[in-house]
């Protein structure tokens, strides 16, 4: 049977429980309605002069993880082309290390959660996949980087290519990776766009085995990530993700976030995007 969720109930949940930014994200996802200026200003608030955003746990120091989260929100508002998002993308690109990876500022060592801890190799791989994903998304409409550079991705082509090599180097022979689950689907998306289809397929095979037990939030994040880079909606990993989402929708129309009920609307918006 085809995987089906109650999208009307999901929309009702966002309308009932979302804030102004989240309701504007819903409108853009459903109808392409441009958000009002005050909503965009609210979504962009707190950006540092350098271009990144600080995390709630990181005082005023810009965070790779927090900046990627903000870019996801802005993407749901159709706002990745605005100056604020472009400054953030430039900040991410400039923060790439010589080996193609990303890591949080050492100043965040005492406050960062495990997935963003400076000096931790698992966190480094996750942050590299996350930053590379958003720089990949930023270059989706760009073809050659320039007349002497055939690489896809515009201004970030070289950055993403170096990141993809760093990600591929961490894959084990069985397709698994030494990091958090999210690093898998983010890496698979980056490698897919780099036409490293074998490596991407290896990762997706591992993910498919995990999907029957995956949380709703993970299944939604996986589906949105792969769809955002053009993976066909009939691809078996995405079919399995949608099936898992049909099993985890709540009676109130929403889905539960792994980060607490305050992020349930965000998780539900991810599902809506995955199914649109």
């Amino acid at each position: 049977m085809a995987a089906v969720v109650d999208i009307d109930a999901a929309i009702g949940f966002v309308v009932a429980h979302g804030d102004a930014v989240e309701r504007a994200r819903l409108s853009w996802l459903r109808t392409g309605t441009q958000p009002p200026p005050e909503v965009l200003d609210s979504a962009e608030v707190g950006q540092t002069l350098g271009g990144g955003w600080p995390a709630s746990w990181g005082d005023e120091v810009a965070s790779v993880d927090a900046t990627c989260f903000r870019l996801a929100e802005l993407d749901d508002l159709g706002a990745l082309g605005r100056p604020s998002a472009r400054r953030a993308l430039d900040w991410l690109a400039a923060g790439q290390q010589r080996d193609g990876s990303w890591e949080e500022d050492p100043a965040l060592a005492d406050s960062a959660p495990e997935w963003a801890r400076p000096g931790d190799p698992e966190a480094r791989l996750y942050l590299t996949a996350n930053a590379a994903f958003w720089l990949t998304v930023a270059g989706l409409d760009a073809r050659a980087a320039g007349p002497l550079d055939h690489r896809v991705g515009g201004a970030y082509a070289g950055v993403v290519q170096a990141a993809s090599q760093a990600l591929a180097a961490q894959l084990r022979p069985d397709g698994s990776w030494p990091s958090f689950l999210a690093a898998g689907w983010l890496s698979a998306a980056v490698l897919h766009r780099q036409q490293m289809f074998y490596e991407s397929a290896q990762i997706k095979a591992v993910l498919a085995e995990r999907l029957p037990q995956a949380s709703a939030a993970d299944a939604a994040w996986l589906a949105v990530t792969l769809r955002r880079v053009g993976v066909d909606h009939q691809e078996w990993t995405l079919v399995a993700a949608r099936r898992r989402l049909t099993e985890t929708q709540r009676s109130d129309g929403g889905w539960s976030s792994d980060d607490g009920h305050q992020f349930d609307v965000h998780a539900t918006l991810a599902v809506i995007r995955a199914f649109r």
Side-chain angles (χ1 to χ4, degrees), residues 158-218:
V159 176
V160 175
Q161 187 177 64
S164 67
Q165 295 299 323
L167 294 171
Q170 291 295 314
L171 288 182
R172 298 169 178 143
D174 64 355
S176 62
W177 54 94
S179 186
F180 305 98
L181 193 61
W185 56 75
L186 291 163
S187 296
V190 172
L191 296 173
H192 174 83
R193 282 296 299 177
Q194 289 294 310
Q195 299 185 352
M196 299 172 71
F197 299 123
Y198 175 74
E199 292 86 350
S200 181
Q202 280 186 299
I203 297 172
K204 286 186 285 186
V206 175
L207 291 170
E209 294 177 356
R210 301 286 294 274
L211 274 168
Q213 292 79 41
S215 69
D218 280 350

Side-chain angles (χ1 to χ4, degrees):
M1 295 179 59
V4 177
V5 302
D6 189 342
I7 290 295
D8 288 340
I11 290 168
F13 178 81
V14 175
V15 171
H17 301 282
D19 59 23
V21 172
E22 289 164 334
R23 291 194 295 272
R25 290 166 64 188
L26 174 66
S27 295
W28 190 86
L29 289 172
R30 290 180 64 202
T31 64
T33 302
Q34 291 296 315
E38 61 270 20
V39 168
L40 291 170
D41 290 343
S42 178
E44 295 168 349
V45 71
Q47 188 172 27
T48 65
L49 291 176
W53 277 277
S56 58
W57 39 262
D59 296 324
E60 300 302 315
V61 179
S63 156
V64 175
D65 185 55
T67 298
C68 290
F69 183 86
R70 287 293 191 107
L71 288 170
E73 291 188 317
L74 293 174
D75 193 31
D76 279 356
L77 293 166
L80 283 188
R82 283 171 56 86
S84 180
R86 289 292 154 179
R87 287 198 304 273
L89 291 160
D90 288 345
W91 178 79
L92 282 178
Q96 187 179 39
Q97 300 186 358
R98 294 181 65 181
D99 64 356
S101 68
W102 276 265
E103 203 161 18
E104 295 286 19
D105 192 305
L108 299 173
D110 292 337
S111 57
E114 60 178 349
W115 63 85
R117 192 167 294 142
D120 185 283
E122 293 187 23
R124 184 183 306 116
L125 183 57
Y126 161 70
L127 293 171
T128 299
N130 207 359
F133 171 75
W134 284 107
L135 292 167
T136 294
V137 168
L140 277 177
D141 297 329
R143 297 307 174 205
L148 302 178
D149 191 340
H150 69 279
R151 294 172 298 185
V152 172
Y156 306 120
V159 176
V160 175
Q161 187 177 64
S164 67
Q165 295 299 323
L167 294 171
Q170 291 295 314
L171 288 182
R172 298 169 178 143
D174 64 355
S176 62
W177 54 94
S179 186
F180 305 98
L181 193 61
W185 56 75
L186 291 163
S187 296
V190 172
L191 296 173
H192 174 83
R193 282 296 299 177
Q194 289 294 310
Q195 299 185 352
M196 299 172 71
F197 299 123
Y198 175 74
E199 292 86 350
S200 181
Q202 280 186 299
I203 297 172
K204 286 186 285 186
V206 175
L207 291 170
E209 294 177 356
R210 301 286 294 274
L211 274 168
Q213 292 79 41
S215 69
D218 280 350
W221 189 2
L222 179 153
V224 168
T225 299
L226 296 182
R227 287 294 293 140
R228 190 63 178 85
V229 296
V231 175
D232 192 280
H233 71 95
Q234 295 182 340
E235 200 268 346
W236 49 274
T237 313
L238 286 169
V239 172
R242 290 196 299 272
R243 182 177 298 113
R244 181 59 178 156
L245 291 169
T246 67
E247 300 168 349
T248 50
Q249 187 173 20
R250 302 188 314 221
S251 59
D252 63 2
W255 281 264
S256 298
S257 170
D258 297 334
D259 299 316
H261 66 86
Q262 66 269 35
F263 291 102
D264 286 354
V265 173
H266 179 77
T268 302
L269 283 165
V271 178
I272 292 171
R273 179 159 199 154
F275 273 83
R276 71 173 184 156

